[in-house]
Amino acid sequence: MTYLLALDQGTSSSRSIVFDARGRIVAQAQRELPQLYPRPGWVEHDPREIWRTQLATAQDALRQAGITARDVRALGITNQRETTVLWHRKTGQPVHHAIVWQDRRAEPACALLREQGHAATIQARTGLLIDAYFSATKLQWLLNHVPGARDAAERGELAFGTVDSWLIWQLTGGRRHVTDVSNASRTMLFNVHANQWDDALLQLLRIPRALLPEVLPSVADFGATDAALLGGAIAIGGVAGDQQSALFGQACFSAGMAKNTYGTGCFMLMHTGGRFQQSGNGLLTTSAAQTGKRPEFALEGSVFVGGAVVQWLRDGLRAISASSQVQSLAESVPDSGGVMMVPAFTGLGAPYWKPDARGTITGLTRGTTIAHIARAALESIAYQSAALLAAMGRDAVAAGGAPVSELRVDGGACVNDLLMQFQADLLGIPVVRPAVVETTALGAAYLAGLASGVYAGTDELSALWQAERRFTPTLPRSQAEALMARWEHAVAQAVLPG
């Protein structure tokens, strides 16, 4: 048997999954990753814990599968993006905790860049909006605030990386300092047209080039693991940021194909092929996972509160005692009874970008029950995703393409049949759930499999992808459009007057 090992390093946990050559899960292991909140708005991880938990799950997964390193053809890595690690090249020790993608401490630096008029240049070169979400201003903060860090960086003594680079450094015993294009494209320092670090942006943010990893395609020779770690050396052949990896795992390899990941938030990506397309509708342009040197792109949008609304029903409203109960509660009524919920607990993301919006529940009557509110909460995930796909469709048509014809789905909340059917009804296109919903890890395994010759090309991977269930629209378009109009009215009510 041929096996592939995927390391999936996420925000709240580290996981490892062993796949066979058909993309089926053989074994998996998971360990929680502690979250650190030193101040309001600050989120950190201990890089040593990232490494410790990730290595432990890899060892656990191999043990559970009953295989050794010799049985693994290659290893792939997928990771939380934008999280920023800075470490000493000589010792491999971090100089500070990792600054997590959710961290907002660098917002003043971003505000200054906007005030200085750099937004258009940065978006044109990187595809990104200026935001503390991305790695550049996090790295700048570390260089400015950790004593001695800037001087050490200027002397070439420090290394910067996103989580993939940090793991590869540790896995290879410090022999490789590399990343892939999909992770590099989330730093706000990478020119996605040229596929290289942008000297003008490095100069603007005062980032020494000596800090940066070498950038490779997502399918490449990233080195081999130190034999002592997993009982033998394993080639590292595939690397991609989590959302690009999920797009790859969903076999969305060509322009116009799209996936939506339903997690705590929702991340929707649409492949745009080799065309860099700047969104006119509040979306980001990002590098897709690349199997070769040719740049490939995707449009990306994120919903801040997706599955988190179910957690709020459980922990805040105490409407349910377990998240799994939400579907039966919502199904106990035929519809939401006119109730609309906009879960703008932390503002609204794409395509609205309204940080001042706050959560609202509208349309209440004397006949409203907790079941109606639960149904409206669940439906809010679909409404937000439908608004996102509509924005992508407008961008696609503006570029001379066609709107998305089907949406492939993954993530925890995609197992909810009621939600997926309502999503299809709003969109007016099929919503397709794959047989393997662990598409983020599967994407990393596929990339490693391409590098090691397990697969001949993406056509073979497309043939492996299988649907578990296809949800087709049942609602007349006029009714779906009326519901979306009511949603947009509710969103307008969620933005408080200044």
Side-chain angles (χ1 to χ4, degrees), residues 43-295:
V43 190
E44 296 179 353
H45 290 154
D46 183 341
R48 291 164 298 194
E49 281 296 293
I50 291 175
W51 166 234
R52 186 189 66 77
T53 55
Q54 191 61 74
L55 177 62
T57 62
Q59 293 166 338
D60 290 348
L62 291 177
R63 195 160 45 246
Q64 283 179 33
I67 60 175
T68 67
R70 283 195 305 278
D71 303 310
V72 179
R73 184 75 71 86
L75 178 153
I77 296 172
T78 184
N79 54 284
Q80 53 167 315
R81 303 174 303 173
E82 299 94 18
T83 294
T84 300
V85 190
L86 189 62
W87 67 93
H88 293 280
R89 289 182 181 276
K90 196 171 181 181
T91 64
Q93 289 300 306
V95 304
H96 190 275
H97 282 152
I99 302 182
V100 178
W101 58 273
Q102 298 156 311
D103 189 286
R104 303 303 298 172
R105 77 187 68 182
E107 175 50 35
C110 292
L112 184 60
L113 288 170
R114 291 187 211 106
E115 284 165 24
Q116 291 171 340
H118 297 298
T121 301
I122 287 174
Q123 188 173 11
R125 288 171 182 238
T126 67
L128 309 177
L129 304 172
I130 295 174
D131 197 271
Y133 178 31
F134 305 112
S135 313
T137 51
K138 300 183 196 303
L139 176 55
Q140 187 186 51
W141 187 94
L142 288 169
L143 293 176
N144 290 342
H145 289 84
V146 175
R150 183 166 289 284
D151 289 343
E154 298 283 2
R155 292 193 298 268
E157 295 170 4
L158 303 184
F160 150 75
T162 42
V163 168
D164 57 308
S165 296
W166 168 246
L167 290 177
I168 294 167
W169 178 281
Q170 297 294 338
L171 285 164
T172 62
R175 289 188 297 278
R176 298 300 299 273
H177 183 210
V178 290
T179 188
D180 93 297
V181 289
S182 70
N183 279 294
S185 77
R186 309 297 294 185
T187 61
M188 216 169 74
L189 296 170
F190 190 70
N191 187 313
V192 293
H193 308 277
N195 260 357
Q196 62 188 29
W197 299 115
D198 192 294
D199 287 320
L201 295 180
L202 294 175
Q203 195 173 349
L204 175 66
L205 283 111
R206 293 185 62 226
I207 306 289
R209 196 182 178 101
L211 280 172
L212 305 175
E214 179 188 357
V215 183
L216 302 174
S218 309
V219 174
D221 175 8
F222 291 91
T225 64
D226 194 306
L229 297 172
L230 298 171
I234 301 175
I236 306 169
V239 174
D242 52 11
Q243 299 310 320
Q244 290 98 330
S245 189
L247 189 71
F248 202 85
Q250 286 278 30
C252 294
F253 303 132
S254 54
M257 298 185 77
K259 70 90 194 174
N260 195 24
T261 299
Y262 296 80
T264 304
C266 297
F267 289 87
M268 189 180 291
L269 271 73
M270 179 179 75
H271 210 294
T272 61
R275 187 181 71 252
F276 175 90
Q277 188 182 332
Q278 206 161 296
S279 174
N281 294 282
L283 306 175
L284 303 173
T285 308
T286 195
S287 291
Q290 288 175 207
T291 57
K293 293 201 165 145
R294 186 175 72 87

Side-chain angles (χ1 to χ4, degrees), residues 333-340 362-365 367-368 372 375-376 379 486:
V333 289
D335 53 47
S336 69
V339 176
M340 276 278 176
T362 56
L364 299 172
T365 68
T368 299
H372 292 110
R375 183 151 186 147
E379 290 179 350
R486 286 188 56 232

Side-chain angles (χ1 to χ4, degrees), residues 101 260-267 301-313 341-350 352 354 357-360 376-385 388 413 419 423 487:
W101 58 273
N260 195 24
T261 299
Y262 296 80
T264 304
C266 297
F267 289 87
S302 54
V303 168
F304 292 160
V305 178
V309 75
V310 178
Q311 295 170 333
W312 176 77
L313 284 174
M341 179 177 173
V342 180
F345 302 142
T346 54
L348 287 169
Y352 304 106
K354 295 188 181 294
R358 288 297 173 264
T360 62
L378 204 57
E379 290 179 350
S380 74
I381 303 171
Y383 279 120
Q384 291 177 96
S385 296
L388 209 47
L419 174 61
Q423 187 72 84
W487 165 257

